[in-house]
Amino acid sequence: MEPHPADKKLFENLSGSGKAIGVLTSGGDAEGMNAAVRAVVRMGIYVEAKVYFVYEGYQGMVDGGDNIVEVSWESVSSILQVGGTVIGSARCKAFRTREGRLQAAYNLVKRGITNLCVIGGDGSLTGANLFREEWSGLLEELAESGKIDEEAVKKYAYLNIVGMVGSIDNDFCGTDMTIGTDSALHRIIEVVDAIMTTAQSHQRTFVLEVMGRHCGYLALVSALACGADWVLIPEYPPEEGWEDKMCVKLSENRARKKRLNIIIVAEGAIDSHNKAITSEQVKDLVVRCLGFDTRVTILGHVQRGGTPSAFDRILASRMGVEAVLALLEATPDTPACVVSLSGNQAVRLPLMECVQMTQEVQKAMDEARFKEAVQLRGRSFENNLKTYKLLSHRKQDAELPKSNFNVAVLNVGAPAAGMNAAVRSAVRVGITEGHKMFAINDGFEGFAKGQIKTISWGDVGGWTGQGGSILGTKRTLPAKYLEKIADQMRTYNINALMVIGGFEAYESCLQLYEARSRFEEFCIPICVLPATISNNVPGTDFSIGADTALNAIVETCDRIKQSASGTKRRVFIIETMGGYCGYLANMGGLAAGADAAYIFEEKFDIRELQANVEHLTEKMKTSIQRGLVLRNENCNENYTTDFIYQLYSEEGKGVFDCRKNVLGHMQQGGAPSPFDRNFGTKISAKAIQWISKKLVETYRKGKVFANTDDTVCLLGMRRRNLVFQPVAELKGETDFVHRIAKEQWWLKLRPLMKILAKYKTSYDVSDSGQLEHVAMHRPKEAETGAI
């Protein structure tokens, strides 16, 4: 398979010298590792390299023989949706010795492998780096003992290493997310959601123990995602006397008619004297002091199991491709690097800098420098902790500041999972800032009718896990109700507005902004939070709700693929939602391993449809006898789902048969994913803090008067940062006819799906990661938006 001419030059570096890539997984397993292995194999074959599986991690490398096997395109078929690692992982004592590494070097040289892609935790990656440093010495030793000749020493003089971090704990510094973390959060949240229903029947307290021997990320983020009453993590031990404080908080919550208490404990939780705090101790404490009916649930290896989430599959696929590119570009002078995620960007960081910082965290914890440990974990971890503290501890009314400002929250557009988490966060942060919070029901229609009421801290309890929109939402834009809305704003003296929704929410705020000259009431700070499954709002890479929809699509595709593998020779055409925005179809295709995805943004004609049918016909001759094609609902008015289904059925006669499936509104429903709960919670807290700042800045002579562009903003995730952008500026970036942004970042990932489905295509490497350095702290305003 010829690479595209545009990629020729880049690939000569690798294929010209006949190099080979070995891929191994080491240390603890993590969901998504298989997606990374698949991406490395297929990208490697695409650039005409030989790719080898190294089975059983370093143990297989030391043992050699059948443990190191050259693989084909089909070797990695049907592994995308499988948890764990199909090539096995093992702890290896032998590799820790020089003799073991000598044997491993011999086994690699024998097969001409001088490029290693290692997927594992910091221990595995440190081992890989040591192996690289010793490589030339090991080769000389092999030559001296006559095992290899001098020519081999020259030919295979350098070993290139690229790492990817596979760890459910998210305990590796330098990356916002490690492969497997999001899937582990899915397992935890599924359990919490299930526990909530049983616990509420009985007024119970649940102590939930999650994994994380040295890192509290899973505990912290799941506490944030389910609104837990208390969380115990190793990086931030509770202060002296925490036992009494916790019991007071639990009894206060129970007195407020909260039927359920949840305490989340990381398995490595400690107190300020570095003594372990166990889930059993916490249970005994609650029973002794409060007499509550208390149960312990230890999740254990459930968190490692199951199918990987859509986020992990996409992350692992992106990282796998980036790892191959990093190996292509590596020179003897390039340090071993690790492919990381920063915000929404793949970056390359020197492996040992990351390992060193990861070890620094542990050192800080051992020496009881806990504040430093939290900072070393990175901005994302620190933000999670701050947000959790802000939302979980209700101050007494007497302790709260009084701002005398009234802030209203409403939902606009179609419902999206995560909206309720955003409303809860806004209400609680607003109350903490001293504002009086108002909730508006049924969008701008409800606003015009005066469906406005004050909303308190307790009113939003338990909202994070609820799908849809509890406040009620309508697509109606405010233009025809401007006068009535202005009246209601006067009546309730509303000083700021937070609008959570999709494209309609953005358009609504643009209309309010443009109506300022006629209605002084709209001269107030207004913030839009993008929340839509379509992810079509300009000014942001991600919208609240899109991740939940992607998971729904991927789950269905998995089931469909499974049914197809039983019947053989079957192609499924699946229609996704998204309006004119192809995000769900494209990313769903990437996460589900689709053969093609038709989207509005990339025009296609009958010739392309014909080429896809031919591609599938060829595929049916191999051992992979099933096909999956995704189609965005508005990708083409003539090439409908029915048309494509009939075309494929006719053209595939005698080779494969066809089925079609329109996913419809199931993509909107269900409980929000952990990503959407946390993304909604964090950006909402940030938005309210921005509103508070703007209120103070625009308060003059007893009233709020905000008439500048930067007082009506949309808060979005752009590449690595969360940014407030004036809606007036975003107007120029918008295609209003098709309700999408003129430029969309994910289109750059489009070739990725095609490459992994065995199409010839050009992959734009201009955006691929350059080697950077680990920053302990990013500047204050550039906070990363990763969960």
Side-chain angles (χ1 to χ4, degrees), residues 26-38:
S26 174
D29 66 317
E31 305 102 312
M33 277 183 165
N34 289 326
V37 168
R38 171 181 177 268

Side-chain angles (χ1 to χ4, degrees), residues 29-205:
D29 66 317
E31 305 102 312
M33 277 183 165
N34 289 326
V37 168
R38 171 181 177 268
V40 170
V41 169
R42 292 196 166 173
M43 188 65 181
I45 291 170
Y46 173 74
V47 300
E48 299 182 332
K50 284 183 173 185
V51 187
Y52 290 83
F53 274 169
V54 180
Y55 286 101
E56 308 306 332
Y58 289 121
Q59 191 63 56
M61 208 195 289
V62 173
D63 296 344
D66 292 344
N67 290 302
I68 305 174
V69 180
E70 190 180 346
V71 287
S72 69
W73 191 272
E74 288 158 50
S75 307
V76 289
S77 175
S78 301
I79 69 169
L80 187 62
Q81 63 270 29
V82 179
T85 162
V86 294
I87 56 176
S89 180
R91 310 274 176 201
C92 176
K93 277 187 183 160
F95 194 74
R96 293 183 177 184
T97 65
R98 189 169 167 91
E99 291 74 43
R101 292 193 292 276
L102 191 67
Q103 188 56 42
Y106 173 65
N107 290 330
L108 293 186
V109 168
K110 232 172 28 177
R111 293 164 181 81
I113 300 170
T114 53
N115 292 278
L116 264 192
C117 187
V118 181
I119 307 163
D122 60 341
S124 311
L125 299 180
T126 308
N129 192 60
L130 176 64
F131 190 40
R132 178 181 181 272
E133 284 171 355
E134 289 183 348
W135 182 258
S136 54
L138 294 169
L139 261 52
E140 278 162 22
E141 208 171 311
L142 288 169
E144 278 165 27
S145 61
K147 283 194 167 181
I148 61 171
D149 56 26
E150 283 301 326
E151 200 181 318
V153 175
K154 279 191 195 119
K155 193 175 175 186
Y156 306 119
Y158 304 105
L159 177 69
N160 296 316
I161 300 269
V162 172
M164 280 184 269
V165 191
S167 157
I168 67 163
D169 293 339
N170 203 24
D171 56 355
F172 192 79
C173 292
T175 186
D176 287 339
M177 282 297 258
T178 56
I179 296 165
T181 306
D182 187 67
S183 302
L185 284 171
H186 272 258
R187 298 298 92 79
I188 295 169
I189 295 306
E190 280 159 21
V191 170
V192 173
D193 285 352
I195 278 176
M196 279 183 157
T197 51
T198 164
Q200 283 180 332
S201 314
H202 294 279
Q203 285 212 357
R204 283 205 173 118
T205 298

Side-chain angles (χ1 to χ4, degrees), residues 479-492:
K480 56 180 182 180
Y481 298 117
L482 288 174
E483 212 155 301
K484 287 181 178 172
I485 293 168
D487 284 346
Q488 297 295 350
M489 288 179 100
R490 256 199 318 278
T491 307
Y492 288 93

Side-chain angles (χ1 to χ4, degrees), residues 199-215:
Q200 283 180 332
S201 314
H202 294 279
Q203 285 212 357
R204 283 205 173 118
T205 298
F206 268 88
V207 180
L208 206 70
E209 185 183 300
V210 301
M211 281 183 165
R213 203 167 305 142
H214 306 293
C215 178

